[in-house]
Amino acid sequence: MSYEAVLFDLDNTLYPYAPCNEAGKRAALDALRERGYELDRAAFDDLYAAGRRETKRETGGTAASHSRHVYFKRGLSRHAGGPDPAGALAAGDAYWNGFLGAMSLCDGVEAVFDALDAAGADVAVVTNLTTRVQLRKLVRLGIDDRIDLLVTSEEVGREKPSALPFTTALAALDHRPSEALAVGDNVETDVSGADAVGIDSALFVADGDAPPNADLPARQRPDHRLDAFADLTEVAA
């Protein structure tokens, strides 16, 4: 089946997330050490995790829940017993610079984009997180000129699996749900979110660790499963 529009998730779908996250953390740790913090990796991980937990607890369901600058702001405040705005800024900036420096497209992405372009399909990225960071990722990956639309949870005020990011993309591209395919790595945010809107879904996990359909509730079972990203050409184009 061919589709008029394909709505891609970004993180861990178009590129592998884990090595980038690790590179970002190493860069942030180096930045904090340069500012005089005597942290080993275990202490850094505790600081990061504490800031992340507090941020998720208080801002869950919003784009702010992904902000590394907020993680470091809160984690450093707990660690140092008081605020350190300059340290939080340095760590957050270093994290994203390290993260972006480690990014590379998953094998097959460019070939799939070529096939979709040849088929005349619209291509959107529909993603949770803040707009500036996701724009930086698209530019770093060299695909900013390959997509027709970016929709972030920050700009619509709701995170996937809310219908709003999906319906915003469909409205902007002037397509019905039945004409679109959503591609992502997360059965809750991507698959069930698309299913609730009536959009077909394809599950691709960059690290290959995806649960079998039989282990998933019906709303989390994708219409298509991709062993390799290039398989999407046969599904969507």
Side-chain angles (χ1 to χ4, degrees):
M1 178 179 181
S2 61
Y3 294 89
E4 298 297 317
V6 181
L7 314 181
F8 289 98
D9 177 50
L10 177 53
D11 301 301
N12 215 40
T13 299
L14 297 181
Y15 74 95
Y17 173 83
C20 302
N21 184 47
E22 174 59 24
K25 288 181 176 181
R26 290 198 303 266
L29 174 56
D30 288 344
L32 290 175
R33 286 172 171 167
E34 289 175 4
R35 296 190 63 81
Y37 283 92
E38 296 181 357
L39 295 167
D40 59 18
R41 180 57 191 261
F44 170 85
D45 286 343
D46 288 344
L47 181 158
Y48 181 89
R52 183 178 184 274
R53 281 195 305 271
E54 185 175 313
T55 303
K56 294 287 187 184
R57 183 175 64 248
E58 297 185 10
T59 66
T62 72
S65 69
H66 306 282
S67 173
R68 273 45 170 195
H69 286 85
V70 178
Y71 297 177
F72 288 118
K73 174 180 176 291
R74 300 200 174 197
L76 284 173
S77 182
R78 293 172 64 90
H79 176 82
D84 181 5
L89 179 62
D93 287 350
Y95 173 91
W96 283 121
N97 289 335
F99 187 109
L100 291 159
M103 292 182 76
S104 61
L105 287 171
C106 291
D107 291 341
V109 170
E110 291 182 303
V112 168
F113 280 7
D114 288 341
L116 294 174
D117 181 61
D122 289 321
V123 174
V125 170
V126 180
T127 174
N128 291 345
L129 223 149
T130 55
T131 304
R132 184 175 188 275
V133 167
Q134 301 305 67
L135 288 170
R136 291 184 71 192
K137 290 176 185 176
L138 294 179
V139 172
R140 175 68 180 87
L141 291 169
I143 57 173
D144 51 304
D145 61 347
R146 304 298 307 270
I147 67 168
D148 301 294
L149 178 70
L150 169 68
V151 175
T152 68
S153 60
E154 180 185 41
E155 63 186 303
V156 301
R158 296 287 187 278
E159 295 233 293
K160 296 183 297 182
S162 166
L164 191 56
F166 297 102
T167 57
T168 297
L170 291 175
L173 296 172
D174 194 24
H175 288 300
R176 297 187 296 273
S178 61
E179 298 172 333
L181 174 71
V183 182
D185 70 298
N186 190 297
V187 295
E188 178 59 37
T189 58
D190 299 315
V191 175
S192 66
D195 180 70
V197 182
I199 301 173
D200 284 356
S201 61
L203 181 68
F204 172 71
V205 181
D207 61 15
D209 188 19
N213 275 14
D215 293 344
L216 297 171
R219 67 182 177 82
Q220 294 182 353
R221 293 175 187 168
D223 298 286
H224 310 279
R225 297 180 69 100
L226 309 174
D227 295 324
F229 199 92
D231 295 342
L232 186 61
T233 301
E234 297 182 10
V235 172

